[in-house]
Amino acid sequence: MREASFDVPADTRWGEGLVSVPAGEDVAVDVRLESVHEGILASGTARTRYTGECGRCLIAIDAPVEVEFQELFAYPGREANDFEVQDDHVDLETLVRDAIVLALPFQPVCRPDCPGLDPITGARLADEPDATPRPSVDPRWSALAGWASEPVEGENDSAPHADPDNEG
């Protein structure tokens, strides 16, 4: 068994979408390599930072990400394996990159209670302390807006009420 810790820069941008790990960002890796009958078992953690923009209010965000990984690097043989030992070495780059990219948030937010943007003005609601989002009405449904305020038959106090016990 061997343990190692090292920092390496991401060779390219890792991830797509609103957030990603930029090229050149340091990735700290702590790994434990164990010899097993089928190959070499690599397990450890990787830490780095991702950058991008909030999915609600579109401001820049920068946050840490930490992942744990474990994978068996099989000795070359007849069976096809995703990860193999090559010349008595294991290449952790694909394993670490895939683990980090899968851990990136799909819909990142600057904070969990981010209110987002005002749908009418586009102003960031977090910058205005007493602002509340105004309900936006789709113009296609605006003709129905007044319909809901009309009294429903049977709810008007002046209408006669039917007495279910006295039918007659």
Side-chain angles (χ1 to χ4, degrees), residues 12 15 30-31 49 58-59 74 94 108 118 121 123 130 142:
T12 60
D30 297 321
V31 65
R49 297 191 70 78
L58 305 177
I59 66 166
T94 303
D118 186 299
T121 65
D130 58 339
S142 62

Side-chain angles (χ1 to χ4, degrees), residues 83-105:
F83 298 100
E84 288 187 347
V85 176
Q86 298 171 357
D87 299 327
D88 294 331
H89 293 85
V90 294
D91 184 5
L92 296 174
E93 180 184 3
T94 303
L95 174 63
V96 171
R97 182 188 65 231
D98 290 351
I100 288 175
V101 169
L102 288 173
L104 294 176

